Amino acid sequence: MHAIELLSAFADKIQQEPLSAEVSRHAKRALVDWYAAAYPGASDPAVGILRSLLLDEPACDAADLVAGGQATARSAALINGAAAHAAELDDSYRDAMYHPGAATIAAALAACQEQGLCGARLLRAIVTGYEVSTRIGVVLGRAHYQYWHSTGTVGTFGAVAAAGSAYGLNQAQFAHGLGTAATFAAGLQQAFRSDSMSKPLHAARAAEAGVLAAKAARRGLTGAWDMLDGKGGLGQSMSDGPSWDGVGDTLGKDFHITRLTFKNHVGCGHTFAAIDAALALREGAGFNLGDASRIHVYTYRPALDIACYGKPASSNEARFSLRYVVAHALLHGSVRLNAYDDERVHDPVLGALIDRIDVHADPDIDAAFPANRSARIEIEFTSGQRRTHFQANRKGDPEDPLSDAQLESKFIELATPCLGAAAAKEKLADLWHIDQRADLRNMA
């Protein structure tokens, strides 16, 4: 049996069974976090360009846009998917090296709103998309992640499975949709190893492609069922020919959506263990940053490859600079949205601190990736003293998760500038009770 057959059988089966209270709660947490990421991301210049392009299409009231307005389901999925990824605040599933929420929830929401479905259907669509896509990401593994941006590639499967759930696909249609989505999958890491606006378009295109593939499958368009494990399929062409034998073993038993990572800082998640280590050192008794002569950061190789900028020249480069975010955490005690204001990026005091930081790939830390995202920071002081902190996991990882209260605080912080304080609180309450909504339209 091909991998797509196993995954589509699960996707069909889960539509017939009630979600447990625990799985439903985690789906709500994912939805809250998605909106928290999407509100600030909606003002990103790349998202603005997409809005100006796509809203020139004929007016349609199919689905709501996070920043206001309405569009076709495909356009709404694309614009909202970009918004959810643009501010570097979206969730991740660590073992798949993948941000599932951006594309999956954008597609699920667009497809559900297009049809006026209820909140319970949205939660089911979200769970379907997360469970199918994360399994694919895990199998593709580190070899895929060396060049490909999994949020764009694997995200296409999250989007098609979620949209397929909303559109009521049967098992064969799910399989055809997954097969078509596989041939849409794209997104190259060079887009964010260089200074460009393209990265959020990976999630955007994945969301739109998933909606398109699901719609097409519903109309009878067929896709190849061996697109994952065939000789010319995804595993061979975009990874190292991994085995797909166990891809469905835990489906319906172990729900990956219950073990997401929610970001506790703003920026590239590969830097977060180092940020946490820097903050722990900063909070130590008698710590004086002015006496630090050299700061050594040790972490896993992909963090160095992706968060690669030394002294960033722009906000976008700063988000992908391990040295910058560690320096900012040490100097200011946080890495929030204001860390990427122009005056911060070009602050000479911060720049001087960056000059004292060097970064290294630690063999043991690297060997534990992707299951563990760790970092160690050693600070040398002019007195000859050294201080070290090893951060085994990031705050927000399953081992140290954000509580519901912390997730709510994140949402309020990020949504309030967009909505206002009262509307942000109202929106948060609505999301926690989304399963009680009979119609999802007009909820942006």
Side-chain angles (χ1 to χ4, degrees):
M1 183 178 290
H2 291 295
I4 279 179
E5 293 178 86
L6 292 170
L7 294 167
S8 60
F10 164 77
D12 180 58
K13 184 171 182 284
I14 196 175
Q15 309 313 312
Q16 323 304 324
E17 300 175 349
L19 297 179
S20 71
E22 180 70 357
V23 169
S24 181
R25 184 179 78 86
H26 282 280
K28 290 179 185 179
R29 281 169 55 87
L31 185 63
V32 168
D33 191 75
W34 184 87
Y35 270 99
Y39 281 126
S43 62
D44 185 85
V47 179
I49 291 170
L50 292 176
R51 286 177 63 94
S52 66
L53 286 171
L54 295 171
L55 295 190
D56 285 341
E57 295 179 352
C60 179
D61 62 354
D64 299 324
L65 302 178
V66 168
Q70 294 176 318
T72 65
R74 283 178 57 191
S75 293
L78 189 145
I79 293 170
N80 287 339
H85 194 57
E88 300 293 337
L89 283 156
D90 44 333
D91 67 9
S92 61
Y93 185 72
R94 186 176 56 194
D95 292 356
M97 294 158 283
Y98 161 50
H99 298 281
T104 300
I105 294 180
L109 191 59
C112 285
Q113 287 183 328
E114 180 188 30
Q115 303 171 98
L117 301 183
C118 66
R121 287 288 300 274
L122 173 63
L123 295 180
R124 186 182 302 280
I126 290 169
V127 172
T128 304
Y130 273 71
E131 298 308 313
V132 167
S133 62
T134 53
R135 262 80 183 179
I136 294 172
V138 169
V139 172
L140 290 175
R142 189 167 177 171
H144 177 76
Y145 193 67
Q146 185 174 359
Y147 302 108
W148 298 95
H149 184 202
S150 304
T151 300
T153 56
V154 180
T156 310
F157 298 102
V160 70
S165 171
Y167 291 133
L169 302 190
N170 60 34
Q171 182 175 342
Q173 290 169 331
F174 269 117
H176 289 305
L178 289 166
T180 297
T183 205
F184 289 162
L188 292 166
Q189 287 192 16
Q190 196 62 40
F192 48 90
R193 297 191 188 192
S194 303
D195 192 4
S196 81
M197 300 168 69
S198 300
K199 184 173 185 279
L201 273 64
H202 295 170
R205 189 66 183 89
E208 186 216 12
V211 171
L212 175 60
K215 281 176 169 284
R218 185 171 59 164
R219 291 285 187 93
L221 190 142
T222 61
W225 289 20
D226 55 357
M227 281 294 290
L228 297 180
D229 46 21
K231 290 182 179 180
L234 209 70
Q236 289 290 342
S237 62
M238 295 169 72
S239 187
D240 57 355
S243 171
W244 294 89
D245 290 347
V247 68
D249 287 354
T250 63
L251 281 168
K253 305 168 189 173
D254 173 23
F255 283 84
H256 288 180
I257 199 169
T258 66
R259 296 197 309 281
L260 298 176
T261 293
F262 294 120
K263 287 190 172 183
N264 193 43
H265 310 294
V266 180
C268 174
H270 290 306
T271 69
F272 285 10
I275 293 173
D276 289 336
L279 294 175
L281 287 166
R282 187 180 191 272
E283 293 166 4
F287 178 80
N288 186 346
L289 186 60
D291 293 336
S293 59
R294 203 72 198 159
I295 300 164
H296 306 281
V297 181
Y298 299 87
T299 188
Y300 49 92
R301 169 56 61 184
L304 274 58
D305 292 341
I306 293 172
C308 56
Y309 293 99
K311 190 175 287 186
S314 67
S315 172
N316 187 58
E317 289 185 358
R319 294 173 189 270
F320 293 91
S321 171
L322 179 58
R323 291 176 176 88
Y324 176 84
V325 296
V326 167
H328 195 283
L330 288 169
L331 190 62
H332 294 288
S334 67
V335 182
R336 312 303 295 169
L337 284 171
N338 64 0
Y340 306 104
D341 292 343
D342 284 345
E343 58 268 27
R344 290 280 176 94
V345 173
H346 300 293
D347 177 11
V349 175
L350 193 54
L353 183 56
I354 290 173
D355 290 337
R356 286 182 270 165
I357 297 175
D358 52 52
V359 298
H360 315 267
D362 180 279
D364 292 334
I365 292 175
D366 186 63
F369 176 86
N372 294 99
R373 309 292 176 92
S374 306
R376 183 177 74 257
I377 294 184
E378 297 178 1
I379 301 181
E380 300 175 16
F381 292 90
T382 54
S383 63
Q385 180 190 15
R386 285 176 176 259
R387 290 196 182 185
T388 301
H389 182 84
F390 175 72
Q391 187 72 26
N393 301 289
R394 304 165 296 183
K395 176 65 179 175
D397 275 340
E399 294 81 5
D400 189 11
L402 297 188
S403 66
D404 286 353
Q406 289 170 325
L407 186 59
E408 289 178 352
S409 178
K410 173 183 175 179
F411 178 90
I412 294 298
E413 174 190 347
L414 297 168
T416 295
C418 304
L419 302 179
K425 291 179 180 178
E426 182 179 349
K427 179 68 178 181
L428 179 61
D430 187 33
L431 293 174
W432 280 125
H433 296 92
I434 195 71
D435 51 338
Q436 298 175 22
R437 278 191 76 120
D439 190 327
L440 292 170
R441 287 173 292 197
N442 300 312
M443 62 168 289

